[in-house]
């Protein structure tokens, strides 16, 4: 009988493989070796499982082989056991198996194993590879031993661990899952829809949307997932991630989304029902000149400054939304809400009545970064009762911190989601503002302008020192930039005593 691994046992087993590489390769490179090996073992074990089940049913080896190949084809000589038995040049045997499997499954597995240099014996000698192979050989990774959801959780665990270990590169690799879950809930993905992430990383946002549709009782087999990722190995990890989660209808492309968008229909970008993304923040190295005459018409709001490409990604996402059903949720730094250099683009965005909600989040939701962020939600066509209006939510206090990581608790997500769905004023937390009023404020979308915190009571005649004012400001849990408007309002509303500190 197949041994079933508990989630804790699975996580310990998977992370144990990574520890074998400590001191041999940089922590940021673990993923290049561990994920392909894990995936190779999974494919081989599931192939064996399908083969044995068909053989037990019929006794026909030819039928059993054909049945196993229905899921994935593993060519002769390209199985895990073939590589495990290689007496030398293990890296070469590994690479040959990977290339053979990709060639035999071009639609789903092309490029899935990445581009690590398996034949470099200086970095990855035979002894190290054999140790890794023997470690992974300790347990079966069949569907019976580790169902898709459980292996998917284990895969997500590894992604988080690699993010923790890889330091400053983590933000490119991992987006806080509690926040991603909230974004998926707000977008309400439906059966039959297409979902797109133009900067998909390891595919976590796509998987979260699929899980949300499943949680709501929808048939996820009719949902198509699409993503593009600049970093080749990360795109490969995304493909593995989707397969491991049991997804069959997906298309993950490698390449630069701004320079070469991968999904087009004729001379126009393909449009999608749902788009969600965490674009790289304020990148400076991008082709601004090409954007000024973009062949895809993505510069309809204007050309962003060279030092900040945020509104280039923003316009790409808006252009990729279906004109009838399209909706998006984008994770951005707060600067996109108020920076002067983007004021004209922001004005056009508001005039087009595309912005539905601006959600402000608390600090520390990103690895190795205390920065606050916001989520901007847009719709191609808002419901009638939301047209000409924007909902602002100040959720900087809806956050918990544990083991040096910040996250959104279930009750935090529920409160934010309820405010979004109700689309009404909630004093100190949410405010519905007309687009006319926002335009009158020069298109400034800073949340603190529209969601006013209750002013603190100050006894008449008492001096208001700068220190006291800062304490009031800091107690509200605001970050520096997002709280400045509120601090100014508080100071303006107070009358210091004649002998107040200067």
């Amino acid at each position: 009988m197949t041994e079933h691994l508990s989630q804790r046992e699975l996580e310990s087993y998977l992370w144990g493989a990574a520890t074998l590489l400590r001191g041999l390769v940089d922590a940021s490179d673990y993923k290049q070796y561990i994920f392909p090996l894990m995936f190779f073992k999974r494919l081989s074990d599931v192939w064996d499982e399908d083969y044995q089940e068909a053989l037990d049913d019929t006794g026909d080896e030819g039928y059993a082989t054909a049945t196993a190949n229905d899921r994935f084809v593993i060519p002769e000589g390209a199985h895990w056991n073939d590589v495990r038995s290689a007496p030398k040049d293990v890296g070469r045997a590994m690479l040959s198996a990977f290339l053979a499997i990709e060639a035999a499954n071009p639609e789903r597995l092309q490029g899935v194993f990445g581009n690590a240099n398996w034949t470099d014996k200086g970095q990855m000698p035979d002894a190290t590879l054999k140790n890794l192979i023997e470690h992974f050989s300790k347990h079966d990774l069949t569907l019976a031993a580790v169902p898709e959801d459980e292996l998917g959780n284990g895969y997500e665990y590894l992604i988080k661990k690699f993010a923790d270990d890889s330091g400053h590169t983590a933000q490119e690799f991992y987006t806080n899952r509690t926040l991603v879950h909230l974004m998926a809930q707000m977008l309400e993905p439906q059966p039959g829809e297409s979902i797109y992430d133009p900067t998909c990383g390891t595919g976590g946002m796509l998987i979260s949307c699929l899980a949300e549709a499943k949680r709501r009782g929808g048939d996820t087999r009719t949902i198509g997932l699409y993503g593009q990722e600049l970093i080749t190995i990360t795109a490969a990890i995304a493909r593995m991630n989707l397969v491991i989660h049991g997804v069959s209808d997906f298309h993950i492309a490698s390449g630069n989304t701004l320079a070469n968008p991968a999904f087009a229909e004729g001379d126009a970008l393909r449009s999608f029902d749902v788009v969600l993304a965490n674009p790289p923040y304020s990148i400076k190295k991008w082709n601004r000149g090409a954007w000024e005459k973009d062949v895809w018409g993505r510069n309809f709001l204007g050309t962003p400054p060279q030092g900040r490409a945020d509104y280039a990604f923003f316009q790409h996402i808006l252009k990729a939304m279906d004109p009838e059903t399209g909706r998006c949720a984008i994770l951005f730094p707060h600067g996109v809400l108020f920076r002067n250099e983007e004021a004209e683009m922001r004005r056009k965005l508001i005039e087009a009545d595309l912005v539905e909600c601006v959600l402000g989040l608390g600090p520390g939701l990103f690895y190795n970064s205390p920065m606050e962020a916001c989520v901007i939600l847009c719709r191609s066509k808002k419901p009638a009762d939301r047209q000409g209006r924007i909902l602002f939510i100040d959720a900087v206090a809806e956050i918990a911190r544990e083991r040096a990581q910040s996250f959104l608790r279930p009750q935090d997500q529920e409160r934010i989601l309820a405010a979004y769905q109700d689309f009404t004023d909630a004093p100190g937390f949410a405010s519905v503002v007309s687009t006319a009023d926002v335009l009158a404020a020069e298109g400034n979308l800073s949340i603190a302008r529209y969601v006013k915190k209750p002013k603190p009571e100050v006894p008449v005649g008492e001096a208001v020192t700068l220190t006291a004012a800062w304490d009031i400001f800091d107690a509200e849990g605001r970050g520096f930039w997002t709280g400045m408007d509120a601090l100014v309002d508080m100071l303006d509303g107070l009358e210091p005593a004649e002998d107040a500190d200067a």
Side-chain angles (χ1 to χ4, degrees):
M1 183 175 179
T2 300
E3 173 195 9
H4 180 271
L5 291 178
S6 70
Q7 198 66 48
R8 184 179 295 274
E9 289 171 333
L10 175 63
E11 291 171 359
S12 177
Y13 162 65
L14 295 177
W15 183 243
T19 63
L20 294 174
L21 294 179
R22 281 197 171 145
L24 296 173
V25 299
D26 188 85
S28 61
D29 291 331
Y30 287 175
K31 58 185 178 289
Q32 296 191 56
Y33 300 98
I34 300 303
F35 282 125
L37 280 169
M38 170 188 169
F39 190 62
F40 182 31
K41 180 67 160 58
R42 172 67 159 193
L43 290 183
S44 296
D45 286 357
V46 171
W47 193 95
D48 289 346
E49 184 178 34
D50 289 344
Y51 175 88
Q52 192 60 50
E53 185 176 315
L55 184 64
D56 290 345
D57 286 345
T58 66
D60 186 332
E61 293 184 358
Y63 173 79
T65 299
T67 299
N69 283 337
D70 280 345
R71 194 190 300 267
F72 296 106
V73 176
I74 296 186
E76 186 175 350
H79 191 279
W80 178 269
N81 292 332
D82 297 314
V83 176
R84 187 182 184 189
S85 63
K88 61 179 182 178
D89 296 331
V90 182
R92 187 169 298 280
M94 186 85 69
L95 182 60
S96 296
F98 290 169
L99 293 175
I101 291 173
E102 288 183 6
N105 304 271
E107 291 187 5
R108 295 185 66 190
L109 301 184
Q110 187 62 44
V112 75
F113 289 105
N115 56 2
N117 192 352
W118 295 95
T119 59
D120 181 359
K121 290 189 177 183
Q123 181 162 322
M124 199 59 56
D126 281 354
T128 299
L129 283 175
K130 281 186 172 294
N131 286 339
L132 285 167
I133 290 169
E134 290 310 309
H135 176 84
F136 273 112
S137 296
K138 290 178 182 177
H139 296 288
D140 288 339
L141 289 181
T142 59
L143 289 167
V146 188
E148 286 168 343
D149 287 348
E150 293 178 18
L151 187 61
N153 290 338
Y155 198 93
E156 293 289 314
Y157 167 82
L158 271 189
I159 289 175
K160 178 185 180 300
K161 289 287 288 184
F162 290 155
D164 289 341
D165 264 30
S166 61
H168 67 278
T169 62
Q171 186 173 318
E172 300 174 1
F173 195 56
Y174 184 84
T175 304
N176 187 286
R177 291 298 178 254
T178 61
L179 176 53
V180 173
H181 179 53
L182 173 65
M183 292 167 68
Q185 291 180 88
M186 296 174 88
L187 289 170
E188 297 185 353
Q190 305 292 323
E193 291 191 323
S194 56
I195 303 171
Y196 171 54
D197 183 346
T199 55
C200 70
T202 56
M205 287 189 166
L206 296 172
I207 290 168
S208 189
C209 268
L210 201 68
E212 175 60 19
K214 182 177 181 179
R215 187 186 69 82
R216 295 163 61 87
D219 184 356
T220 58
R221 293 173 299 177
T222 62
I223 294 177
L225 302 182
Y226 301 80
Q228 186 165 352
E229 169 56 36
L230 176 64
I231 302 170
T232 302
I233 180 59
T234 308
I237 291 169
R239 296 186 190 102
M240 285 185 250
N241 201 2
L242 290 162
V243 171
I244 281 172
H245 278 83
V247 182
S248 57
D249 186 6
F250 68 84
H251 307 271
I252 303 295
S254 299
N256 187 315
T257 296
L258 296 185
N260 297 294
F263 302 103
E265 294 176 337
D267 58 355
L269 289 180
R270 177 168 182 165
S271 61
F272 303 90
D273 301 298
V274 174
V275 187
L276 72 171
N278 175 17
Y281 292 168
S282 300
I283 60 173
K284 296 175 173 56
K285 294 182 179 180
W286 65 290
N287 194 337
R288 185 175 187 270
W291 189 266
E292 289 180 313
K293 47 183 182 295
D294 184 62
V295 298
W296 305 104
R298 294 175 295 175
N299 57 347
F300 61 98
L301 298 179
T303 302
Q306 182 65 56
R308 305 181 190 278
D310 299 312
Y311 271 79
F313 285 106
F314 200 165
Q315 291 178 88
H316 171 86
I317 290 168
L318 294 173
K319 195 73 173 178
M321 286 164 47
D322 183 276
E324 297 294 327
T325 62
R327 55 208 187 272
C328 74
I330 319 167
L331 193 59
F332 272 136
H334 271 274
V336 301
L337 303 178
F338 55 77
R339 290 189 299 240
N340 289 335
E341 56 198 341
E342 295 149 334
E344 181 60 20
M345 288 182 289
R346 198 162 48 245
R347 181 185 64 78
K348 291 180 180 177
L349 172 68
I350 296 164
E351 287 178 342
D353 200 18
L354 294 170
V355 180
E356 181 180 44
C357 177
V358 180
L359 165 64
L361 299 161
L365 285 171
F366 303 98
Y367 286 92
N368 304 302
S369 173
M371 72 176 294
E372 296 179 7
C374 64
V375 175
I376 301 179
L377 292 105
C378 299
R379 285 184 186 268
S380 298
K381 287 191 175 180
K382 295 183 189 177
D385 61 345
R386 298 189 179 191
Q387 290 175 9
R389 303 198 299 163
I390 300 172
L391 173 67
F392 292 87
I393 302 176
D394 185 348
V396 293
E398 308 302 307
I399 195 170
R401 191 162 180 83
E402 193 174 278
R403 296 178 183 176
Q405 297 296 338
S406 297
F407 60 96
L408 299 174
R409 298 161 297 190
Q411 60 265 36
D412 300 326
Q413 297 179 47
E414 289 169 8
R415 187 183 186 201
I416 295 168
L417 185 62
Y420 173 65
Q421 293 172 339
D422 291 345
F423 212 83
T424 57
D425 291 340
F429 186 67
S431 181
V432 178
V433 183
S434 71
T435 54
D437 285 346
V438 176
L439 289 170
E442 300 180 343
N444 191 317
L445 292 171
S446 179
I447 297 165
R449 278 183 172 268
Y450 308 103
V451 182
K452 301 298 184 182
K453 295 292 186 181
K455 291 184 178 181
E457 293 184 8
V458 178
V460 177
E462 285 196 10
V464 180
T465 65
L466 182 59
T467 301
W470 178 261
D471 287 343
I472 294 167
F473 161 49
D474 189 53
E476 290 190 344
R478 297 175 181 272
F480 183 79
W481 292 112
T482 54
M484 285 305 296
D485 285 343
L487 178 57
V488 170
D489 287 346
M490 281 190 278
L491 293 175
D492 286 346
L494 299 177
E495 296 182 3
E498 293 181 2
D499 60 345
D501 294 345

